[in-house]
Amino acid sequence: MPETATLAEKLAGFTTRLITEGCDDAAMSRAKTYALDTLAVTLGGAMAESSKRTVSGLTRFNSGGPSAVFGSGLRLSCGEAALANGTLAHALELDDDHRIGVLHPGAAVVPAAFAIAEASGASGRDFLLGLIAGYEVACRLGEVFRGSLFRYGFHPTALCGALGAAAAGAVVLRLDRIAATRALGIAGTQAAGLVEWRADGSWIKRLHPGRAAQSGVIAALLAAEGFTGPATILEGAGGFFAAFGHDQKLDTEAVTRGLGTDLRGLGTAIKPYPCCRFAHGAIDLALEAQRAGIAVQDIAEVEVRLYRTDVLTYHPVPINAVDAQFNVPYHIACCLLQGNIGLKDFTVEAVQRPEILALAAKVKVVEDDALSALYPEEYHTVLRVKTRDREVRQFLSTCPSGDPEADRYKIDSNLFHREAVTKTRSLLSECGYGSRVEKLIQLTDGLDTARDLSPLSELLGQK
């Protein structure tokens, strides 16, 4: 690839090399893990009220197509199915998350790749390679901004996810470098997604990966037919970085640094708790404190020190169930009182429990400048519990559970995948899809040799 090539051309060169050269077994294995997790989270998300409204709205005047809408028994066009499934994937706040990119790649990339693979009859191998490409592009773009998009009202998952979804679609459709470049250009102009959900806890955040997935599908399909898109979509004067950078210093070299050898997307974390990833370190510590025997009746005050994200909320009474997914005092109170936190805690009724709110009122959250300086490379969190007899217990997290770079996964290399399997079984059983769990695990494990995705499509599409 010549030095004069644009960033989109270099990314397209990476996607086309994946098509011709493939990836090593470790990368393919990790892609299977992400596929399993996102497909399970998407199916589980079909139970959410926002998901039911999504499917109802998209099929009000239209139905039928080659791609399944999970858990509905309905099929739509590739783009509309990707829109629906991407929205379902984000509904429970359980979809995967990239620490340094500060975004959710799976909810945008997997539905896009899946919908196109269903329609085109692509192999399971091409689907997995599409995921590797999509995760890589989305996460590298996220690393350029390192979470700063939130400060200007933009959701990184929505913006970067659109180009990740396009890259995935380009691989599944086996587009050449020129066409893949066009796809990235077309996807970039569709990138959008505002963070105003924080004002009232509305559902628009859940729509963002769905729209990113749909944009990626549209981009790949149009590019395949010769529709043009600018090769300078990223670094151009009117491109992605100029539009969303707000004159800040961006690490644009993150787009291509180690491209093809250092697979940044494979550092994506799988979420163990159904709430904002930024709070997971604090949740780990609250659960640790509860296991250490700290009794709720003895607690005088809890202090959480973490990094600035411009996403989490700290008021003691959640506005509603969506706000509770981002509310640190509520998370801490649930963990200290119950010794766990799960889907049951994020309902309209659950967020109003007096005993939880009474404890949440004792939780103080501080955005620590020293910890913010480490973010997003490191998600350090400190939890201090002061008891009524003035004893202070302190707990520290340097990397939240679910992140493949956490020490626990370095000690046991297969633990990451086993936890994804355990999560799948627990989640789908809780959401009423327990009868599909073992078949889903079996089919995703065999994706690298699968002729196509029709067995998975049938399994996941059933109502």
Side-chain angles (χ1 to χ4, degrees):
M1 183 68 62
E3 283 298 318
T4 56
T6 69
L7 294 178
E9 288 172 331
K10 291 177 181 179
L11 290 174
F14 166 71
T15 67
T16 52
R17 286 194 301 275
L18 280 179
I19 294 170
T20 58
E21 300 173 13
C23 259
D24 62 29
D25 290 343
M28 294 294 275
S29 178
R30 180 61 59 84
K32 289 181 190 179
T33 301
Y34 291 142
L36 174 64
D37 181 66
T38 303
L39 295 175
V41 167
T42 304
L43 180 57
M47 64 170 280
E49 186 61 30
S50 60
S51 300
K52 296 173 185 176
R53 302 296 179 94
T54 297
V55 175
S56 177
L58 291 176
T59 58
R60 183 169 184 174
F61 300 121
N62 179 41
S63 64
S67 303
V69 177
F70 289 13
S72 72
L74 301 171
R75 303 184 81 82
L76 290 169
S77 69
C78 295
E80 288 179 317
L83 167 59
N85 291 332
T87 305
L88 269 59
H90 207 41
L92 303 180
E93 276 295 331
L94 267 171
D95 48 313
D96 60 25
D97 186 273
H98 191 267
R99 185 179 76 253
I100 302 175
V102 196
L103 50 76
H104 304 270
V109 169
V110 175
F114 196 90
I116 291 180
E118 285 177 284
S120 66
S123 69
R125 177 182 180 274
D126 283 347
F127 169 66
L128 290 175
L129 291 173
L131 299 195
I132 292 170
Y135 273 66
E136 196 65 15
V137 169
C139 295
R140 283 178 173 271
L141 288 175
E143 289 194 15
V144 169
F145 292 93
R146 299 168 68 88
S148 64
L149 285 167
F150 283 113
R151 297 174 196 159
Y152 303 103
F154 296 112
H155 189 189
T157 299
L159 274 59
C160 304
L163 285 96
V171 170
V172 173
L173 290 175
R174 304 182 71 83
L175 299 186
D176 63 24
R177 184 178 64 83
I178 295 173
T181 301
R182 292 198 299 261
L184 293 171
I186 298 166
T189 199
Q190 299 178 79
L194 301 177
V195 301
E196 188 59 12
W197 80 79
R198 295 178 298 182
D200 59 5
S202 69
W203 289 336
I204 62 168
K205 181 176 187 286
R206 302 176 182 187
L207 185 65
H208 291 167
R211 287 288 285 144
Q214 182 186 38
S215 294
V217 168
I218 291 170
L221 293 176
L222 290 179
E225 297 300 322
F227 195 97
T228 62
T232 53
I233 190 63
L234 294 175
E235 71 271 38
F240 198 86
F241 298 150
F244 302 121
H246 290 82
D247 296 323
Q248 62 182 311
K249 183 175 176 55
L250 299 175
D251 181 18
T252 57
E253 292 182 1
V255 176
T256 55
R257 188 187 299 122
L259 182 64
T261 56
D262 179 15
L263 292 177
R264 305 297 296 165
L266 300 189
T268 299
I270 287 179
K271 293 172 70 172
Y273 315 117
C275 50
C276 182
R277 180 63 177 166
F278 296 134
H280 282 206
I283 290 172
D284 284 341
L285 297 180
L287 293 173
E288 182 183 346
Q290 200 270 351
R291 290 192 297 268
I294 295 177
V296 170
Q297 62 270 22
D298 294 333
I299 295 175
E301 180 182 283
V302 179
E303 181 185 79
V304 178
R305 303 188 75 85
L306 43 66
Y307 39 88
R308 176 187 170 187
T309 64
D310 300 289
V311 176
L312 295 171
T313 61
Y314 310 135
H315 40 264
V317 179
I319 299 170
N320 53 29
V322 172
D323 181 54
Q325 293 174 320
F326 301 86
N327 187 272
V328 178
Y330 180 76
H331 303 158
I332 300 303
C334 287
C335 294
L336 290 174
L337 192 63
Q338 304 170 164
N340 59 69
I341 189 167
L343 293 177
K344 67 184 188 311
D345 296 306
F346 297 98
T347 66
V348 173
E349 297 76 22
V351 302
Q352 299 173 1
R353 291 170 291 176
E355 67 277 16
I356 295 291
L357 298 181
L359 185 53
K362 297 181 180 182
V363 180
K364 174 186 177 184
V365 182
V366 178
E367 291 183 344
D368 188 295
D369 289 342
L371 301 185
S372 295
L374 300 173
Y375 168 86
E377 290 283 352
E378 300 179 40
Y379 283 17
H380 286 204
T381 307
V382 178
L383 184 139
R384 297 189 183 115
V385 180
K386 180 188 291 185
T387 62
R388 295 185 184 279
D389 61 6
R390 299 191 177 183
E391 178 188 10
V392 177
R393 301 280 299 276
Q394 179 166 302
F395 303 85
L396 170 68
S397 169
T398 58
C399 191
S401 57
D403 192 304
E405 294 185 17
D407 288 342
R408 62 198 286 179
Y409 306 110
K410 296 174 184 176
I411 297 169
D412 182 349
S413 61
N414 195 42
L415 178 60
F416 188 76
H417 180 72
R418 293 203 310 273
E419 286 185 349
V421 171
T422 299
K423 173 185 171 182
T424 294
R425 289 190 173 116
S426 174
L427 171 64
L428 293 187
S429 295
E430 183 177 358
C431 294
Y433 301 108
S435 62
R436 307 189 203 186
V437 168
E438 299 310 319
K439 188 67 173 176
L440 175 60
I441 294 170
Q442 176 192 346
L443 289 173
T444 52
D445 186 56
L447 273 170
D448 52 336
T449 58
R451 183 181 63 183
D452 57 41
L453 300 190
S454 54
L456 266 174
S457 177
E458 181 180 354
L459 178 73
L460 294 167
Q462 296 171 25
K463 187 170 183 178

